[in-house]
Amino acid sequence: MQEGLTMKKAFKLISVIVMAALMVTTAAACSGNNGNNGGSAPASAGSEASAKPDAPKPTLKRLNVWTNEDYNTYPVAKLLEEATGYKMEYDMLPQDKWAEKLNLIMSSGEAYDMVTSYSDMALYSDYAQKGALVDLTSLIEEFGPNIQAALKPESIEALKVNGKLYAIPVSITYEVNSSILIRTDWLEKLGLPMPTTTDELTHVLQQFKEQDPGGNGERNVPLTIKGDQAMIDNIVGAFGIPNGWNEVDGQMVPRVLDPSFKDYVAYVADLYKQRLIDREFVANKDATAKEKFASGVAGAIVVHWADIPGIHEALTKNLPDAKFAYVPPLKGPNGEAGFTANAGFDRLTFIPKSAKHPEDAIKWINASLEPETFKTMAIGVEGTHYKMENGGYTPILPIFNDERNLANNFMVGTDEEQYPKYWQARVRKNPVMFEAFDFLNNQQPAEVKHLNVLGLAPYMQQYAKNNQQLHTMSNDYTVKLIAGAESLDGLADFQAKYLAAGAEVSSQEVNEWYQSVNK
């Protein structure tokens, strides 16, 4: 009896082994076909694939812009490694002549999986047209839902070369740079209100000159500017030419060809003739003009809001009771007013054709743009790196500086809706700077912010080739007009030279594009 039971058990065991062997053989045969016979895959194939562990993620290599710290050891690197699952090795471009170094690296075929550079549309377009970059279009469609959600359509369109996308941008995060900074304690001393029109500005500067509220004597300067500041922010807006190119009768026109150019020059040249603008401005370096204001010699200056902390520290050290504020948008003779509003890109990231892991690079970028990951990268953890105050993100120091100050260098693309709000945490590190920034960027109505539409234009060969030369040419000429070294009687002759120097072909190219996007 016991022997019979044992034989039955042995028979069952043999049967199980045989059946198992048959199943393995069948599965192996089916998988060996790889679907080439046109037959359907067995049901077990999917479950077998899902049971396989994920392949290890490769280590990626990234070339980035220069910074004064090691990317590889900065806290954001570890955060991104944990969030994306990818180890990243970082190298840097040099601080000076970075474009020359980048050209050498690109021509050498060094296998970087992504390269981040400062925005240079001519350089980027050249790489793309020479076949040195990976077309990102299909990779983003397949592996980049966060990328698609983060970037605005106009950002993507602006970077297309021959209909293909080869780079992911970090867009400029704020609109207004500068205005006229004026000594409000001088205004108070003379019983003058803040000027709101060009006529009122003239009157204020005249009073600064005649009444000398700073007690500077012959050294007194109503308004100082630097030598290459031919176009004075805020005043140019009052004459309807806030940008380098502005719309006139449906066409984009560079300032020096704009009908309003003569009126602007006549106004500023008259200020200079009356000695209301620094008589030495042509020789002024940027630091020279700032020193005149910070020492109390000048009553007004044109500066970027980022310069405010240094100016405030120096001025109040010299004059503890000194006060200043930005002049609001001045209305000109025709009621026009406003500032140029920045548009375009700060940095571009592309994948070279030599990259070993282009698909993984897109997956890394996509993971970095997952909304919570991006926010944590940008400003850290609430209560640790920042706190909410008055509806804004306020940094907690010094940990914010220690662990997030360089976060923008790690970004490949940004959440273009949210990042400008996150980014303001950096400006809030200094209350005086934030007050100036807030006035220009948050408190001004939309109608006085005039978008620089060419900031979002695609690469245009003639414009890119001629723009810098034309800018220098018109800027130098405008300085001479203001200082009286040239007369407006010769404007037509200069305009003819300007057109021949590349402005005519550039205008044709710019307006072909402008008409195509404004149909």
Side-chain angles (χ1 to χ4, degrees):
M1 184 74 175
Q2 183 65 34
E3 183 181 350
L5 289 172
T6 301
M7 289 179 66
K8 287 181 181 179
K9 288 180 180 178
F11 180 75
K12 287 181 180 180
L13 180 60
I14 291 169
S15 299
V16 169
I17 293 170
V18 170
M19 289 299 292
L22 285 170
M23 289 174 69
V24 170
T25 303
T26 303
C30 290
S31 63
N33 287 334
N34 285 327
N36 293 334
N37 61 3
S40 60
S44 60
S47 59
E48 181 185 10
S50 63
K52 287 181 179 178
D54 291 338
K57 293 180 178 179
T59 297
L60 303 179
K61 286 187 65 178
R62 180 178 178 184
L63 181 64
N64 213 332
V65 297
W66 182 89
T67 186
N68 59 359
E69 294 196 41
D70 184 356
Y71 282 100
N72 298 286
T73 59
Y74 197 73
V76 173
K78 183 178 180 182
L79 165 72
L80 289 173
E81 183 175 344
E82 292 172 352
T84 66
Y86 285 94
K87 171 73 175 175
M88 181 77 75
E89 294 178 354
Y90 296 89
D91 289 335
M92 279 191 286
L93 289 164
Q95 186 174 15
D96 299 316
K97 297 183 179 179
W98 63 267
E100 294 179 16
K101 179 66 173 178
L102 181 56
N103 280 331
L104 290 173
I105 290 171
M106 292 294 291
S107 62
S108 73
E110 191 166 350
Y112 284 104
D113 295 298
M114 61 186 85
V115 172
T116 299
S117 73
Y118 292 110
S119 181
D120 184 323
M121 294 296 283
L123 194 67
Y124 157 66
S125 182
D126 184 54
Y127 291 156
Q129 293 185 73
K130 287 179 177 177
L133 307 180
V134 173
D135 177 8
L136 306 181
T137 310
S138 60
L139 287 172
I140 291 175
E141 287 175 356
E142 186 171 358
F143 304 110
N146 292 329
I147 301 172
Q148 292 173 304
L151 301 180
K152 294 178 180 178
E154 54 265 35
S155 296
I156 294 173
E157 287 302 314
L159 285 175
K160 285 186 176 178
V161 178
N162 299 324
K164 297 179 180 180
L165 180 67
Y166 294 95
I168 296 173
V170 169
S171 296
I172 294 170
T173 51
Y174 59 88
E175 295 175 303
V176 184
N177 295 338
S178 312
S179 181
I180 301 167
L181 195 71
I182 196 165
R183 286 283 297 276
T184 52
D185 57 318
W186 283 22
L187 292 175
E188 292 169 3
K189 187 173 183 178
L190 300 179
L192 297 171
M194 177 71 79
T196 59
T197 68
T198 50
D199 285 345
E200 290 176 5
L201 177 67
T202 302
H203 177 66
V204 163
L205 296 178
Q206 286 171 340
Q207 293 303 301
F208 280 5
K209 176 193 171 190
E210 294 169 8
Q211 302 297 326
D212 189 14
N216 292 303
E218 293 184 358
R219 298 173 61 235
N220 185 43
V221 176
L223 169 65
T224 188
I225 56 176
K226 56 185 179 179
D228 60 353
Q229 199 155 26
M231 299 297 172
I232 302 174
D233 292 303
N234 199 337
I235 296 178
V236 287
F239 286 88
I241 48 175
N243 292 299
W245 292 62
N246 300 278
E247 185 179 316
V248 179
D249 298 328
Q251 296 283 312
M252 294 302 293
V253 177
R255 277 173 173 151
V256 76
L257 299 179
D258 195 299
S260 297
F261 177 76
K262 288 179 69 173
D263 296 330
Y264 165 78
V265 168
Y267 174 79
V268 179
D270 184 58
L271 293 182
Y272 181 79
K273 187 176 181 180
Q274 293 186 59
R275 296 181 177 268
L276 305 182
I277 289 179
D278 190 349
R279 297 296 292 179
E280 300 172 346
F281 91 90
V282 174
N284 280 351
K285 302 294 185 184
D286 181 60
T288 313
K290 288 175 182 173
E291 193 280 330
K292 288 180 179 180
F293 186 82
S295 66
V297 169
I301 187 174
V302 180
V303 289
H304 193 290
W305 54 261
D307 293 324
I308 296 294
I311 288 173
H312 174 256
E313 182 180 357
L315 179 61
T316 53
K317 183 178 180 180
N318 294 322
L319 302 162
D321 296 328
K323 294 186 293 183
F324 56 75
Y326 271 130
V327 173
L330 296 166
K331 287 186 178 180
N334 297 320
E336 295 172 298
F339 306 105
T340 182
N342 297 320
F345 312 117
D346 179 47
R347 298 176 193 187
L348 302 178
T349 297
F350 42 85
I351 299 177
K353 272 287 178 68
S354 57
K356 293 182 178 178
H357 312 290
E359 181 180 308
D360 289 287
I362 291 295
K363 289 178 178 178
W364 182 94
I365 296 167
N366 188 68
S368 75
L369 286 170
E370 189 280 323
E372 280 305 310
T373 298
F374 179 78
K375 182 178 181 181
T376 305
M377 169 173 54
I379 55 175
V381 177
E382 185 172 6
T384 300
H385 299 94
Y386 72 91
K387 56 187 175 182
M388 297 299 296
E389 285 185 344
N390 301 318
Y393 300 97
T394 301
I396 297 173
L397 303 177
I399 192 171
F400 185 93
N401 284 342
D402 294 340
E403 298 188 355
R404 289 298 182 275
N405 211 40
L406 300 180
N408 60 308
N409 288 350
F410 288 83
M411 295 174 186
V412 180
T414 62
D415 182 332
E416 293 187 341
E417 285 292 338
Q418 297 301 320
Y419 185 52
K421 302 171 190 174
Y422 302 156
W423 177 85
Q424 290 188 30
R426 286 163 164 70
V427 190
R428 289 176 183 269
K429 289 188 291 185
N430 184 294
V432 176
M433 179 168 64
F434 182 74
E435 182 180 359
F437 169 87
D438 187 57
F439 176 80
L440 292 180
N441 286 277
N442 298 334
Q443 296 182 28
Q444 300 307 316
E447 58 265 26
V448 301
K449 299 175 184 177
H450 302 283
L451 184 70
N452 175 20
V453 296
L454 288 184
L456 284 171
Y459 171 75
M460 294 180 283
Q461 185 177 10
Q462 294 300 326
Y463 174 77
K465 174 184 174 183
N466 298 316
N467 186 51
Q468 187 57 51
Q469 172 196 347
L470 292 172
H471 171 75
T472 301
M473 184 178 177
S474 63
N475 205 70
D476 291 348
Y477 177 64
T478 305
V479 168
K480 291 177 181 177
L481 287 171
I482 292 170
E486 292 277 2
S487 168
L488 279 170
D489 293 340
L491 178 59
D493 289 339
F494 175 82
Q495 289 174 332
K497 294 177 184 177
Y498 182 79
L499 286 165
E504 186 170 8
V505 290
S506 295
S507 293
Q508 181 179 349
E509 186 180 49
V510 165
N511 280 291
E512 284 177 0
W513 165 77
Y514 188 64
Q515 299 306 319
S516 73
V517 296
N518 286 281
K519 288 181 179 178

